[in-house]
Amino acid sequence: MPELPEVETVVRELREEICGDIISSVEIFRSNPIVQGDLDMFQEQLCGRKFMDVRRRAKYLIFNLEPKRYLVAHLRMTGKFIVSDPLPEPTKYNRVWFNLESGRQMIFDDIRCFGTLEVYDDLADSKSLQKLGIEPLSKAMTLGYFKKNLGSSKREIKSVLLDQKIIAGLGNIYVSEILFRSRIHPQRSAGSINKREWSLIIKYTKYILQEAIKNNGTTISDFRRVDDKTGAFQQFLQVYDKKEQPCTECGTPIQRIVQQQRSTFFCPECQR
Ligand SMILES: [Zn+2]
């Protein structure tokens, strides 16, 4: 599933490809459950609008249109955007075509159809955007924020870092990596994390996300960039998907446990 660095990669590439272009028509090949709301309305609301900017909030892509309107997309499991020269017909998993005045197409492709596309005149109307926690690469990411909100929390640190209402954009891969670098056991309660350890979590969250963005994200299975290339950060992962492989620090076999139905990978020796 794409996390913050993968979405940021797609946003940067889309910005290069489509800004200044105008949507001439929208063709929907499979709407349910991707396109939110009325289909005719969705097409009508977008036709004739110009892409002014593409940006990211958590794992959402926000397309700023002119006259003012917003297309908000979430890739979920397997959603992806492809920009290409016009195709003669949709390929198997093409769900929506945004035909552009330049003659090119922005394609929303999604094998499993968990992705979403929504249109808003005002982003304040998006309930999902309003509920999001702080951006991990922003100045809001401070020791004070975590101590204040989680200082006495009994929840496991792994679940807390995955909670989009607390910190937005992290997923399973990067949280495993952040806790490994910070040498913190994923089952520790958030309330037991001391100031020094929170500082390490903040430091390595920023470091790992920035490195992953530099490498155009991580491709474990489905993630593809706008030009269908893969990301390259998977070669720098130290624990994720490395069950039984020796820890890079101490040689102890990496363990896999399940927390909230999701895999966590960690070193039982280095992480306490
Ligand atoms: Zn180790």
Side-chain angles (χ1 to χ4, degrees), residues 180 247 249-252 267 269-270:
F180 173 73
C247 167
E249 293 292 316
C250 74
T252 303
C267 172
E269 191 58 36
C270 293

Side-chain angles (χ1 to χ4, degrees), residues 129-141:
L129 287 177
Q130 298 313 313
K131 281 191 295 201
L132 293 169
I134 58 169
E135 280 288 329
L137 293 174
S138 75
K139 288 200 175 75
M141 179 87 171

Side-chain angles (χ1 to χ4, degrees), residues 171-209:
N172 227 22
I173 297 174
Y174 294 107
V175 168
S176 281
E177 296 296 316
I178 290 162
L179 290 175
F180 173 73
R181 301 260 190 159
S182 308
R183 304 176 79 90
I184 293 169
H185 195 288
Q187 289 173 314
R188 289 260 307 274
S189 71
S192 77
I193 307 286
N194 66 30
K195 285 186 180 173
R196 185 187 63 83
E197 291 169 322
W198 276 121
S199 301
L200 290 173
I201 290 175
I202 293 168
K203 173 181 156 186
Y204 286 117
T205 298
K206 289 181 184 268
Y207 174 75
I208 288 171
L209 293 178

Side-chain angles (χ1 to χ4, degrees), residues 249-260:
E249 293 292 316
C250 74
T252 303
I254 298 299
Q255 282 187 11
R256 172 184 175 273
I257 53 170
V258 176
Q259 293 176 280
Q260 293 187 310

Side-chain angles (χ1 to χ4, degrees), residues 5-18:
E6 291 74 49
V7 177
E8 182 66 28
T9 298
V10 171
V11 160
R12 290 178 182 192
E13 294 179 342
L14 282 174
R15 196 182 287 143
E16 281 292 308
E17 297 279 353
I18 61 166

